[in-house]
Amino acid sequence: MQPTKEQSLWMYENMVVSRRFEEAIEKAYLEGKTPAFNMANGPIPGEMHLSNGQEPVAVGVCAHLNADDIVTATHRPHHQAIAKGVDLKRMAAEIFGKSTGLSGGRGGHMHLIDPAVNFSCSGIIGESCGPACGAALSRTIQNKPGVAVAFLGEGAANQGAFHEALNLAGTWKLPVVFVIEDNSWGISVPKAEATAVIRNDVRAAGYGMPGHYVPGNDPHAIFDVAGEAIARARKGEGPTLIEAETYRLAGHFMGDAEQYRPKGEKDALFAKDPIPKMRERLLAEGCTATELDEIEQRADSLVADAITFARESDYAPESDALTAVFV
Amino acid sequence: MLDQPTNERRLTIARAMAEAMQQEMQRDPRVFVMGEDIAGFGGIFGNTRGLFEKFGKERVRDTPISETGFISAAVGAAMDGMRPVVELMFVDFFGVCFDAIYNQMAKNAYFSGGNASVPMVLMTSTGGGYSDAGQHSQCLYGTFAHLPGMKVVSPSNAYDAKGLMTAAIRDDNPVVYMYHKQLQGMGWLGTEPGATLNTPQEGYTVEIGKAKVVRAGSDVTLVGLAMGVHNALKAADKLAEEGVNAEVIDLVSLVPLDRETVINSVAKTGRLIVIDEDYHSYGVSGEIIATVTEHDVSKLKASPARVTFPDVPIPYAKHMEQFCLPNPDKIIAAYRKM
């Protein structure tokens, strides 16, 4: 399954939006954190898990989804949220802790929930899997269209939650697709030292579903495999497990000195940065530089508007902390 | 209670729970039930009997033994517009699935600023007294009630059991529904006769967050929930023989907690004893006492007391477990010390 030109450009645009957004977040995050790094300072306090480098997986999968479909995501959720269509302004405002944010500042960057596009995420490793099964079950029981996609990291594939959810999905043949972003690092521990198998796609066999491995951090290859899996789910043929190789260009969180990385690894990863690679590919396929430049400019202004909106928004009254525990 | 008219429907808590679920499933296609052995088997404690036969396997689902998997699935289904009733067979099993409960079920409404809701019921059995030892006999009321974002109820009788289940299913928030095994009316677990009450056929709700004064009195306030209420009522009967008039409060709900009813009662009696089958420290009993003393300590004529389970794992041997459990005699002894 190959993307149309329109789909390719959509993937490119969302990759660029995601990257530019994270560059802007990174810059804002560092404000107020020098000379001594203190996570609690600055306009964006707390942990920050950037997803730059991992954009291909999010766009290759979400290119097949519409607003009715469900995505449950991880503690590293920006690229997935953007690809699923979460409002960028409200997401930025949430990360800045503002009243106009998705939850008015109660959740922050690891807890982005946007019911308008059926997006949610959890800061707990592996906990995207069960809720995706439940949302898929909901559609099955109600006989409503829609599939659920659970994103997780390769480290999460060692959590019990992942295995329980896969068994549930396999047993009930749920319209759900599990997508592992294999960035090869669980914070500082390499995949090989934490995982009994070389590739997690083989684990699908234990749960009665097909498994696919997608090498190369290649949006087109991911689009292809995810397209088949999602179509299969839509036809009621059950779940699929996909593991896609990807690259974490940043640390686990901002402030991570990444001393665990082998020398030269980061340089090699940046040399394989999927965004310039995709631009080259699109040019080779006949897109014009002007067309791609326009996409990049549009991404720049979308991100700039979102960051401005976030900065200019007010904080909610502090007593709002005491509300919305119950609806 | 023994002289009820013959045309009344006396139901066990188990049947009352099943009837509430059945009526709500008929009323609302979004309601479905899942858990271990809740379909054809009807639930280990009888509370889903008849549902599978009536609604079939789509809406009454036996799950794999995967509490993390199916409880977090219930969260996902609830956020997608369904109203799942999901069973954690023994509350003791929360250890294998608590993330789904307190990090997802209880927090997603807050993390969405109230834009998303998680309307689900987590029903779970509590309590021992039948020598099932320390991993199948706990109450853990305080553990659940401590954590924000979930309502917590525990009925002491069938009337409340039905009304609370109906209210819990209709609630837009997650509700933890804790039913005490020895009140279920399952003969093999021993049965508390006071829990089997006249229960109307038609659907009704019992308000979540409202305590009940189940016996009026003026000399001492006995506060409990679930089995604690029955122990308190028995103690009150014995105290009455001595001319002591005890007021008994059934908390019914821990979250929200009806502090006002407790405060008003103690304002009248000046004495407070809390009965709780959960562990002694850091729990419901301490919370109730703090509620009263924070409000107006001058209303107390004596130091408050609590009759609780000591801070030890629940022992297996019958004599050891019974030694630890609250009972009417311990409540009377606590009163005498005041």
Side-chain angles (χ1 to χ4, degrees):
Chain A
M1 190 182 289
Q2 283 306 303
T4 61
K5 181 181 174 187
E6 195 188 357
Q7 286 170 319
S8 288
L9 293 177
W10 181 91
M11 290 198 291
Y12 184 64
E13 177 156 351
N14 277 274
M15 284 170 66
V16 175
V17 169
S18 181
R19 180 67 61 88
R20 298 284 201 267
F21 181 74
E22 294 218 323
E23 285 164 357
I25 292 291
E26 185 170 13
K27 200 161 157 244
Y29 185 83
L30 290 172
E31 286 172 24
K33 292 191 175 65
T34 50
F37 182 81
N38 179 340
M39 192 173 276
N41 289 343
I44 304 179
E47 280 188 81
M48 177 53 62
H49 310 85
L50 297 178
S51 63
N52 48 10
Q54 302 190 187
E55 302 91 346
V57 191
V59 300
V61 171
C62 292
H64 299 283
L65 303 180
N66 55 53
D68 286 340
D69 295 315
I70 299 109
V71 164
T72 59
T74 71
H75 63 289
R76 195 182 304 286
H78 300 163
H79 57 319
Q80 298 151 352
I82 288 166
K84 186 61 177 60
V86 172
D87 184 272
L88 201 64
K89 286 183 176 172
R90 296 193 66 205
M91 178 172 152
E94 183 62 29
I95 294 169
F96 278 78
K98 297 295 183 72
S99 63
T100 50
L102 291 165
S103 79
R106 294 174 185 82
H109 121 97
M110 281 189 277
H111 311 108
L112 305 170
I113 297 180
D114 187 355
V117 294
N118 291 300
F119 180 89
S120 64
C121 58
S122 169
I124 307 294
I125 300 301
E127 296 297 353
S128 57
C129 300
C133 289
L137 175 63
S138 161
R139 299 304 170 90
T140 307
I141 293 178
Q142 296 183 84
N143 202 20
K144 278 190 186 166
V147 300
V149 173
F151 285 103
L152 60 146
E154 91 290 340
N158 298 321
Q159 278 280 25
F162 166 78
H163 294 272
E164 290 195 19
L166 261 72
N167 183 62
L168 202 63
T171 303
W172 289 350
K173 300 218 177 327
L174 296 172
V176 58
V177 179
F178 301 93
V179 179
I180 300 172
E181 293 187 352
D182 173 17
N183 68 21
S184 81
W185 288 101
I187 304 186
S188 68
V189 177
K191 183 185 186 187
E193 288 181 22
T195 312
V197 291
I198 293 167
R199 290 176 6 186
N200 281 304
D201 59 311
V202 301
R203 288 176 156 169
Y207 304 109
M209 67 180 79
H212 303 283
Y213 183 77
V214 188
N217 204 21
D218 175 357
H220 286 76
I222 292 160
F223 179 95
D224 177 26
V225 172
E228 278 182 33
I230 290 165
R232 186 170 179 275
R234 287 200 202 284
K235 282 187 280 182
E237 292 171 7
T240 302
L241 173 65
I242 297 169
E243 181 165 67
E245 184 192 14
T246 191
Y247 317 134
R248 194 184 80 199
L249 295 179
H252 166 67
F253 49 36
M254 287 196 64
D256 178 359
E258 299 182 75
Q259 284 167 335
Y260 47 83
R261 297 248 204 199
K263 213 171 156 61
E265 180 179 287
K266 284 286 282 275
D267 290 342
L269 293 183
F270 274 104
K272 295 191 284 187
D273 186 334
I275 291 181
K277 267 177 78 176
M278 183 147 181
R279 186 180 160 100
E280 280 167 34
R281 178 182 177 139
L282 291 172
L283 288 171
E285 284 175 357
C287 296
T288 66
T290 315
E291 182 169 38
L292 300 181
D293 290 346
E294 276 170 15
I295 283 177
E296 287 165 26
Q297 283 154 15
R298 204 157 58 229
D300 282 339
S301 79
L302 199 64
V303 168
D305 287 351
I307 299 293
T308 303
F309 175 79
R311 285 190 189 274
E312 290 178 354
S313 290
D314 292 328
Y315 289 107
E318 53 204 11
S319 59
D320 269 16
L322 306 180
T323 64
V325 177
F326 294 112
V327 295
Chain B
M1 261 175 229
L2 295 172
D3 300 317
Q4 298 211 4
T6 51
N7 62 349
E8 290 189 339
R9 298 169 71 244
R10 292 169 64 79
L11 295 191
T12 61
I13 287 185
R15 284 190 56 198
M17 287 173 69
E19 187 168 278
M21 282 182 255
Q22 185 195 307
Q23 290 175 348
E24 290 310 293
M25 288 179 79
Q26 263 163 340
R27 189 177 160 270
D28 185 346
R30 299 171 300 173
V31 181
F32 72 104
V33 184
M34 64 178 167
E36 293 154 5
D37 305 287
I38 59 91
F41 198 86
I44 296 293
F45 305 110
N47 46 314
T48 57
R49 257 181 217 167
L51 300 181
F52 178 72
E53 292 74 6
K54 200 158 180 65
F55 299 102
K57 65 180 181 183
E58 191 74 355
R59 291 178 73 194
V60 184
R61 295 185 161 252
D62 274 335
T63 62
I65 304 170
S66 300
E67 288 85 354
T68 284
F70 70 78
I71 295 175
S72 58
V75 174
M79 290 180 73
D80 197 51
M82 298 293 282
R83 290 188 172 253
V85 180
V86 63
E87 170 145 295
L88 177 63
M89 188 188 285
F90 289 77
V91 75
D92 315 65
F93 301 170
F94 89 100
V96 300
C97 58
F98 214 37
D99 194 75
I101 297 166
Y102 89 115
N103 265 335
Q104 297 178 40
M105 182 184 89
K107 289 181 184 159
N108 280 355
Y110 190 76
F111 285 160
S112 73
N115 294 314
S117 60
V118 191
M120 62 183 274
V121 181
L122 176 70
M123 57 181 173
T124 186
S125 74
T126 63
Y130 61 103
S131 286
D132 217 2
Q135 296 173 344
H136 292 75
S137 302
Q138 298 169 93
C139 286
L140 304 179
Y141 300 127
T143 305
F144 283 77
H146 177 65
L147 295 157
M150 45 192 167
K151 297 186 177 180
V152 180
V153 300
S154 188
S156 68
N157 62 67
Y159 179 90
D160 287 351
K162 181 172 175 183
L164 283 173
M165 178 56 80
T166 305
I169 292 171
R170 293 181 191 178
D171 203 295
D172 289 334
N173 297 287
V175 180
V176 180
Y177 184 107
M178 306 178 91
Y179 60 91
H180 194 290
K181 279 167 261 168
Q182 291 207 297
L183 301 180
Q184 278 298 86
M186 309 287 283
W188 55 277
L189 273 171
T191 291
E192 168 53 54
T196 301
L197 284 193
N198 176 39
T199 306
Q201 170 107 50
E202 65 276 10
Y204 60 92
T205 57
V206 165
E207 185 181 346
I208 295 174
K210 186 85 191 107
K212 293 183 174 180
V213 177
V214 291
R215 178 189 175 116
S218 52
D219 298 327
V220 58
T221 299
L222 308 180
V223 175
L225 76 160
M227 185 59 93
V229 175
H230 296 282
N231 282 325
L233 286 169
K234 285 169 192 163
D237 282 345
K238 286 192 188 175
L239 286 169
E241 292 166 12
E242 304 170 15
V244 176
N245 200 356
E247 178 145 304
V248 178
I249 294 176
D250 183 345
L251 289 174
V252 181
S253 162
L254 293 178
V255 181
L257 179 61
D258 180 1
R259 299 178 197 269
E260 198 184 344
T261 294
V262 176
I263 286 168
N264 290 343
S265 175
V266 178
K268 187 170 66 174
T269 64
R271 290 183 176 83
L272 170 64
I273 301 174
V274 187
I275 302 97
D276 183 11
E277 277 192 22
D278 197 1
Y279 302 117
H280 181 79
S281 300
Y282 305 102
V284 172
S285 59
E287 185 61 32
I288 297 298
I289 291 169
T291 294
V292 168
T293 55
E294 273 176 345
H295 177 73
D296 185 357
V297 75
S298 73
K299 292 287 193 298
L300 287 166
K301 296 172 187 160
S303 296
R306 40 184 166 166
V307 178
T308 57
F309 204 96
D311 294 323
V312 298
I314 296 172
Y316 158 69
K318 190 170 184 174
H319 66 295
M320 288 165 69
E321 185 186 19
Q322 294 302 326
F323 170 77
C324 293
L325 278 169
N327 61 38
D329 289 341
K330 289 184 183 179
I331 299 168
I332 292 164
Y335 175 74
R336 295 224 167 98
K337 273 201 227 162
M338 287 184 140

